[in-house]
């Protein structure tokens, strides 16, 4: 994490001097703190020759020429001309069927996209990631979320040190802890069982755990509820704790850095809230555990590091839901299901690492995304899961994609001459159909959609015979219908043929040719969720490699944090001398005036 200190937690691997790097540097002795500070950062990286700017490749130039054809492609004609198109542009692996045939692509365009990935050295970059090289060049760190789900006997080295045993040591500690909470052997300070686990964290220390808790609700121990406090807004804290009994509540303070103001403020408030009833400071040990890379800050907070679950600076916040950050997930679904979740991630890691690009789900999704973004000019992507359990998936992908690839400069600091991350947004279907799909069907800006569903429901409600559809049949009919309507639309001639008066025809016409991917998976399970998340993680990787940005830093979040720190005392102390622009100064004055009333 940029501008935050990383320290070596008990479980952190030691760095050896035999550092393997993707980039060469004058010195390898660079601390993360230095890397994030304004002074004395590590030397500028020398990028490998294969890390080329995408617009310097032959494939990019070819794609620019093909863009005209793509923009004027008619999917009705394409499907009519090629009866095999639906099959040709679909791929299945790991119980996931990806149909990408309803995109504005053809064989020639796809070939050029694969050539682009090859010319941009995506496979070499992936190899460097899996090898533990410091591909996060602005923070001089390895990027190894894949090590979090590597099987026990595997070897993945960071600076010469095999981190897999460390990962499993933490996992085993998590398992013992989760089991004790679930079984009731872990008791609160007054001897009561834990009934609610409250995760306090934000960004990557919140979005993944919430998403997974909601997605896997059906696999959770229903006698223990998990809640998630993230916002600094006290209303979040109030609402999530107002009906809880501190004697039965366990807080998991989750923060990679343990310095994030929202999390630390909420954690302090939780401590005060718990001690108001429990009185004895010794109660903290029974009601607070920490997940962090920063042991020093954890003990400063008053949490015994024996109750801390560590991870490492080579795990980015938004790539950390399968690290100890997933502790609340493990308590909820149990260690066995958590292992299944990890196995699902690993399935996809192996698929990504070994399958040829043309038969590789992350490559396919990524390249189609690049086509839509850079050559067809689409500015947003809607992620539309037809599964209520996945109702937080789009929010999770928002951080994953936009914090990773929402960058405007290349690895070498020169401006990107191409577009990078689109806006990611979405809500589950069918709810969205009654809210914003109007714009997707008939608005002026095409919105590529990822439609995601499961063939088998976890709960079959209704139906029962061939004539009466179940809820799930209706749900799935809707997702298929949306893909069909978006691709093929409704022509003015068809609208007229229904007897529509001429003046209404344009209003009732659907232009079609709106791109969609449909990801149909067999059934939602911890394993399948792991596969889906890793699919998108690697999609983001492929896109970031081609866009030649650092997908693993997030300097763009820093300025606002610094300015907020400066403004805080100006809101609560004596009236400050004007030191801001006229607008900000005016807002501060108005706030102070209304607060003083
Ligand atoms: O401010 C952005 C960010 O650094 C995210 O990248 C991260 O997931 C989040 O804040 C939380 O950080 P931490 O886990 O260190 O509290």
């Amino acid at each position: 994490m940029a501008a935050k200190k990383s320290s070596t937690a008990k479980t952190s691997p030691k760095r050896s001097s035999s550092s393997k790097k993707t980039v060469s540097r004058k010195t390898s002795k660079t601390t993360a703190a230095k890397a994030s500070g304004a002074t004395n950062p590590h030397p500028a990286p020398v990028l490998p020759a294969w890390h080329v700017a995408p617009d310097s490749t032959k494939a990019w130039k070819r794609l620019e020429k093909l863009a005209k054809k793509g923009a004027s492609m008619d999917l009705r004609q394409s499907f009519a001309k090629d009866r095999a198109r639906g099959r040709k542009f679909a791929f299945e692996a790991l119980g996931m069927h990806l149909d990408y045939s309803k995109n504005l692509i053809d064989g020639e365009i796809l070939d050029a996209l694969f050539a682009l990935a090859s010319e941009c050295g995506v496979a070499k970059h992936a190899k460097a990631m899996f090898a533990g090289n410091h591909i996060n060049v602005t923070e001089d760190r390895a990027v190894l979320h894949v090590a979090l789900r590597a099987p026990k006997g595997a070897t993945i080295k960071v600076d010469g040190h095999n981190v897999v045993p460390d990962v499993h040591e933490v996992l085993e500690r998590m398992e013992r802890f989760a089991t004790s909470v679930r079984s009731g052997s872990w008791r609160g300070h007054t001897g009561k069982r834990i009934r609610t686990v409250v995760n306090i964290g934000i960004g990557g220390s919140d979005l993944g755990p919430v998403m997974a808790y909601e997605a896997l609700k059906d696999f959770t121990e229903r006698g223990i509820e998990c809640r998630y406090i993230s916002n600094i807004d006290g209303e979040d804290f109030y609402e999530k704790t107002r009906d809880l009994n501190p004697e039965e509540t366990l807080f998991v303070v989750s923060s990679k850095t343990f310095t994030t103001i929202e999390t630390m403020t909420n954690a302090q408030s939780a401590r005060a809230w718990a001690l108001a009833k429990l009185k004895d400071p010794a109660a903290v040990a029974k009601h607070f555990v920490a997940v962090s890379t920063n042991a020093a800050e954890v003990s400063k907070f008053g949490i015994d590091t024996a109750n801390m679950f560590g991870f490492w600076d080579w795990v980015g916040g938004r790539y950390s839901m399968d690290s100890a950050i997933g502790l609340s997930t493990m308590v909820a679904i149990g260690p066995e299901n958590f292992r299944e979740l990890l196995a699902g991630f690993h399935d996809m890691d192996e698929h990504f690492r070994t399958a040829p690009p043309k038969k590789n789900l992350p490559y396919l999704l990524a390249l189609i995304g690049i086509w839509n973004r850079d050559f067809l000019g689409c500015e947003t992507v809607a992620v539309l899961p037809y599964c209520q359990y996945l109702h937080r998936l789009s929010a999770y992908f928002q951080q994953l994609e936009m914090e990773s690839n929402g960058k405007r400069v290349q690895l070498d600091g020169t401006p990107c001459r191409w577009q990078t991350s689109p806006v990611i947004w979405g809500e589950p279907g069918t709810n969205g159909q009654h809210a914003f799909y109007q714009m997707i069907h008939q608005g002026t800006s095409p919105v590529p959609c990822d439609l995601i569903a499961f063939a088998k429901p976890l709960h079959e409600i209704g139906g029962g015979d061939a004539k009466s559809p179940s809820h799930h049949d209706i749900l799935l009919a809707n997702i298929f219908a949306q893909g069909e309507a978006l691709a093929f639309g409704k022509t003015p001639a068809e609208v007229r043929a229904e007897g529509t008066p001429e003046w209404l025809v344009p209003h009732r016409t659907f232009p079609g040719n709106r791109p969609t991917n449909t990801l149909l998976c067999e059934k939602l399970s911890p394993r399948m969720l792991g596969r889906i998340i890793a699919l998108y993680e690697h999609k983001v990787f492929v896109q970031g490699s081609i866009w030649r940005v650092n997908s693993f830093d997030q300097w763009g979040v820093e300025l606002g944090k610094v300015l907020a720190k400066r403004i805080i005392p100006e809101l609560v102390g004596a009236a400050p001398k004007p030191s801001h622009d006229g607008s900000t100064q005016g807002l501060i004055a108005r706030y102070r005036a209304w607060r003083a009333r």
Side-chain angles (χ1 to χ4, degrees):
M1 306 283 96
K4 291 175 176 178
K5 264 185 220 153
S6 114
S7 80
T8 315
K10 259 207 304 208
T11 49
S12 292
K14 289 181 189 73
R15 288 195 166 184
S16 93
S17 53
S18 63
S19 167
K20 263 206 283 161
K21 306 213 172 193
T22 301
V23 291
S24 54
R25 297 182 191 289
K26 282 192 200 124
T27 168
S28 63
K29 250 197 148 196
T30 311
T31 65
K34 275 185 195 163
S36 63
T39 55
N40 195 20
H42 54 257
V46 179
L47 300 169
W50 47 260
H51 233 324
V52 299
D55 64 349
S56 70
T57 63
K58 280 192 205 132
W60 188 273
K61 289 178 185 108
R62 237 167 90 204
L63 286 161
E64 277 176 335
K65 288 196 186 123
L66 291 168
K68 230 180 173 177
K69 171 167 85 168
S72 59
M73 189 175 281
D74 183 69
L75 287 174
R76 285 187 181 225
Q77 274 179 24
S78 307
F79 273 86
K81 251 199 262 159
D82 183 358
R83 299 223 152 255
R85 182 180 170 97
R87 251 180 299 125
K88 212 159 63 192
F89 297 138
F91 182 69
E92 201 165 306
L94 302 173
M96 308 166 97
H97 178 91
L98 174 67
D99 181 335
Y100 54 97
S101 64
K102 295 193 188 86
N103 283 285
L104 303 175
I105 52 160
D106 62 13
E108 191 185 14
I109 291 166
L110 270 180
D111 282 347
L113 286 166
F114 287 117
L116 177 67
S118 161
E119 282 190 75
C120 290
V122 176
K124 293 189 180 101
H125 197 207
K127 208 168 170 197
M129 173 176 74
F130 280 96
N133 293 0
H134 287 210
I135 65 165
N136 176 353
V137 294
T138 59
E139 295 177 314
D140 194 14
R141 290 174 181 172
V143 173
L144 268 182
H145 40 277
V146 294
L148 297 170
R149 52 262 193 161
K152 211 168 181 174
T155 301
I156 299 180
K157 290 188 179 172
V158 178
D159 302 336
H161 173 84
N162 181 14
V163 297
V164 178
D166 301 345
V167 166
H168 284 268
E169 186 199 313
V170 175
L171 268 174
E172 280 155 26
R173 285 188 57 225
M174 287 167 67
E175 287 182 358
R176 284 195 292 276
F177 174 75
T179 304
S180 69
V181 174
R182 287 164 65 86
S183 69
S185 70
W186 180 285
R187 298 267 157 173
H189 187 60
T190 58
K192 293 201 168 149
R193 269 186 89 137
I194 299 299
R195 294 286 169 208
T196 312
V197 173
V198 181
N199 184 78
I200 299 180
I202 197 163
S205 300
D206 168 72
L207 289 162
V210 184
M211 180 276 293
Y213 179 62
E214 294 298 327
L216 301 176
K217 251 279 161 68
D218 199 42
F219 298 84
T220 62
E221 161 57 58
R222 302 282 180 155
I224 299 174
E225 189 196 353
C226 290
R227 295 188 184 183
Y228 295 85
I229 299 179
S230 54
N231 205 324
I232 188 64
D233 186 348
E235 320 294 23
D236 195 17
F237 184 87
Y238 170 77
E239 283 299 332
K240 304 273 171 58
T241 54
R242 54 177 284 282
D243 55 348
L244 295 183
N245 177 0
E247 294 172 284
E248 299 176 338
T249 304
L250 176 80
F251 290 95
V252 180
V253 185
S254 299
S255 172
K256 177 171 170 177
T257 55
F258 233 70
T259 56
T260 304
I261 190 167
E262 290 90 339
T263 301
M264 297 333 295
T265 308
N266 278 321
Q268 292 292 357
S269 298
R271 199 171 187 277
W273 175 86
L275 291 184
K277 172 135 189 202
L278 299 168
K279 310 291 183 211
D280 182 0
V284 170
K286 286 286 162 202
H287 294 272
F288 285 82
V289 297
V291 177
S292 186
T293 58
N294 193 344
E297 285 297 325
V298 168
S299 45
K300 235 201 250 167
F301 179 85
I303 298 178
D304 187 345
T305 46
N307 290 338
M308 166 177 160
F309 300 86
F311 60 113
W312 305 270
D313 73 357
W314 39 263
V315 183
R318 53 194 175 274
Y319 297 89
S320 68
M321 61 169 277
D322 49 340
S323 72
I325 289 291
L327 186 64
S328 62
T329 315
M330 193 193 269
V331 172
I333 65 175
E336 230 171 84
N337 279 323
F338 196 83
R339 290 266 179 193
E340 274 290 292
L341 178 73
L342 296 182
F345 274 98
H346 183 66
D347 293 339
M348 186 54 72
D349 294 342
E350 284 305 284
H351 169 72
F352 175 55
R353 199 174 63 77
T354 59
K358 289 187 178 172
K359 294 183 173 177
N360 192 307
L361 291 167
Y363 270 88
L364 287 164
L365 267 189
L367 292 174
I368 286 163
I370 297 242
W371 172 245
N372 287 334
R373 180 78 182 110
D374 289 288
F375 300 97
L376 301 183
C378 301
E379 292 184 343
T380 84
V381 170
V383 177
L384 308 169
Y386 276 65
C387 172
Q388 190 57 29
Y389 282 123
L390 295 189
H391 71 106
R392 295 294 293 161
L393 188 70
S394 315
Y396 175 77
F397 284 163
Q398 244 167 21
Q399 186 196 19
L400 180 64
E401 300 214 13
M402 294 167 76
E403 199 168 70
S404 296
N405 287 339
K407 312 280 162 71
R408 52 178 276 287
V409 295
Q410 303 176 53
L411 291 166
D412 61 7
T414 57
C416 294
R417 295 175 294 268
W418 44 88
Q419 298 299 325
T420 61
S421 176
V423 175
I424 305 293
W425 60 285
E427 284 288 323
T430 57
N431 294 7
Q433 292 177 199
H434 300 273
F436 53 78
Y437 277 42
Q438 163 62 41
M439 182 264 197
I440 303 183
H441 284 284
Q442 289 186 316
T444 47
S445 317
V447 178
C449 302
D450 281 2
L451 303 162
I452 303 173
F454 301 96
K456 298 180 194 159
L458 290 178
H459 299 282
E460 190 79 82
I461 313 279
D465 60 61
K467 278 191 197 140
S468 54
S470 68
H471 283 238
H472 197 69
D473 295 327
I474 301 172
L475 177 73
L476 272 276
N478 271 277
I479 189 174
F480 300 146
Q482 289 301 324
E484 207 172 17
L486 286 163
F488 307 117
K490 195 169 180 183
T491 63
E494 285 167 340
V495 177
R496 275 186 204 107
E498 289 171 344
T500 307
E502 196 55 32
W503 69 271
L504 256 183
V505 169
H507 297 274
R508 298 186 64 175
T509 297
F510 289 70
N513 299 313
R514 309 228 149 180
T516 57
N517 292 309
T518 303
L519 183 67
L520 182 63
C521 308
E522 200 174 333
K523 190 173 181 179
L524 177 60
S525 65
R527 192 152 190 153
M528 190 56 85
L529 183 69
R531 290 174 182 173
I532 294 172
I533 302 305
L535 165 60
Y536 278 81
E537 283 180 352
H538 296 314
K539 169 205 156 179
V540 167
F541 178 89
V542 172
Q543 294 189 329
S545 298
I546 292 174
W547 285 327
R548 208 179 183 230
V549 295
N550 183 0
S551 305
F552 305 102
D553 62 11
Q554 56 286 316
W555 300 97
V557 300
E558 295 308 325
L559 179 59
K561 291 184 192 174
V562 171
L563 296 185
K565 264 199 190 138
R566 192 176 130 204
I567 292 175
I568 292 166
E570 299 178 5
L571 300 187
V572 291
K577 281 198 196 116
S579 64
H580 299 273
D581 61 277
S583 160
T584 311
Q585 203 61 48
L587 290 165
I588 292 172
R590 175 77 357 240
Y591 176 81
R592 288 180 66 99
W594 272 341
R595 287 285 276 175
R597 267 195 208 166

